[in-house]
């Protein structure tokens, strides 16, 4: 996957089944052109901040949207969210939590940290595909992001 400013969606998901389902739903919505996948929180942080395997990637070339699972290996999604929203270079990136957790403490904590949306994954593919399509249409086509300085 290229690492230029053309990355539109960073998908952070460790479950192969959920990753496949999300990619199928994004394909169905014609939103798969420029996706970067991170399979754990550490990989997501490295990509976002141009560290480790992604050293040299310009932090300023941010994705237009981050789809973030909460329950991730190495660094959990809540910590990834906190790092994104606490750094002036990345805090404006829209982050959507896409998780199976309906726990109120996770919802509250996510919004306290600055998440833009919190979506509980529907159990069936049709419901999930519809949610991802609406999500993609809004964040990729309708939402007006701030312009860079």
């Amino acid at each position: 996957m290229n690492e230029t400013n053309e990355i539109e969606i960073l998908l952070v998901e460790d479950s192969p089944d959920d990753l496949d389902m999300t990619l199928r739903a994004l394909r169905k919505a014609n939103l798969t052109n420029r996706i970067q996948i991170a399979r754990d929180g550490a990989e997501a942080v490295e990509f976002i901040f141009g560290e480790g395997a992604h050293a040299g990637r310009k932090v300023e070339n941010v994705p237009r949207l981050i789809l973030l699972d909460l329950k991730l290996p190495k660094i959990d999604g809540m910590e990834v969210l906190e790092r994104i929203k606490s750094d002036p270079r990345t805090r404006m990136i829209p982050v959507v939590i896409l998780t199976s957790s309906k726990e109120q403490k996770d919802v509250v904590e996510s919004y306290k940290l600055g998440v833009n949306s919190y979506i509980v994954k529907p159990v069936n593919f049709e419901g999930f595909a519809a949610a991802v399509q609406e999500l993609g249409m809004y964040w990729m086509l309708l939402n007006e992001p701030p312009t860079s300085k």
Side-chain angles (χ1 to χ4, degrees):
M1 189 68 24
N2 70 39
E3 291 187 9
T4 68
N5 59 353
E6 295 179 7
I7 296 299
E8 292 190 332
I9 298 173
L10 172 60
L11 174 56
V12 188
E13 176 61 68
D14 65 315
S15 160
D17 290 340
D18 287 354
L19 179 61
D20 180 57
M21 189 165 61
T22 305
L23 288 172
R24 282 187 10 221
L26 288 166
R27 259 194 305 276
K28 189 173 177 181
N30 294 317
L31 295 169
T32 52
N33 297 11
R34 298 174 287 217
I35 296 176
Q36 177 73 30
I37 297 167
R39 289 177 174 79
D40 61 55
E43 188 179 345
V45 168
E46 286 181 357
F47 177 80
I48 293 163
F49 294 102
E51 301 166 353
H54 298 280
R57 193 187 83 74
K58 289 183 170 48
V59 176
E60 298 76 28
N61 293 339
V62 298
R64 288 187 55 194
L65 175 66
I66 297 174
L67 300 177
L68 179 63
D69 188 17
L70 283 183
K71 297 179 182 6
L72 296 167
K74 297 184 182 175
I75 299 174
D76 74 18
M78 212 58 86
E79 187 176 336
V80 173
L81 175 63
E82 185 173 18
R83 288 190 188 186
I84 293 167
K85 294 301 184 176
S86 65
D87 190 305
R89 300 170 298 171
T90 56
R91 78 167 44 115
M92 300 298 275
I93 303 170
V95 178
V96 175
I97 298 290
L98 203 53
T99 184
S100 55
S101 173
K102 292 181 180 180
E103 292 182 43
Q104 194 58 33
K105 70 175 185 54
D106 288 341
V107 176
V108 170
E109 185 63 20
S110 295
Y111 279 106
K112 281 183 179 175
L113 292 173
V115 77
N116 296 87
S117 187
Y118 189 105
I119 296 175
V120 176
K121 296 174 189 171
V123 283
N124 66 43
F125 178 72
E126 290 73 27
F128 185 71
V132 168
Q133 182 170 2
E134 290 174 24
L135 174 75
M137 293 292 288
Y138 176 77
W139 288 107
M140 301 306 293
L141 301 175
L142 299 174
N143 183 57
E144 188 65 38
T147 54
S148 303
K149 345 178 203 170

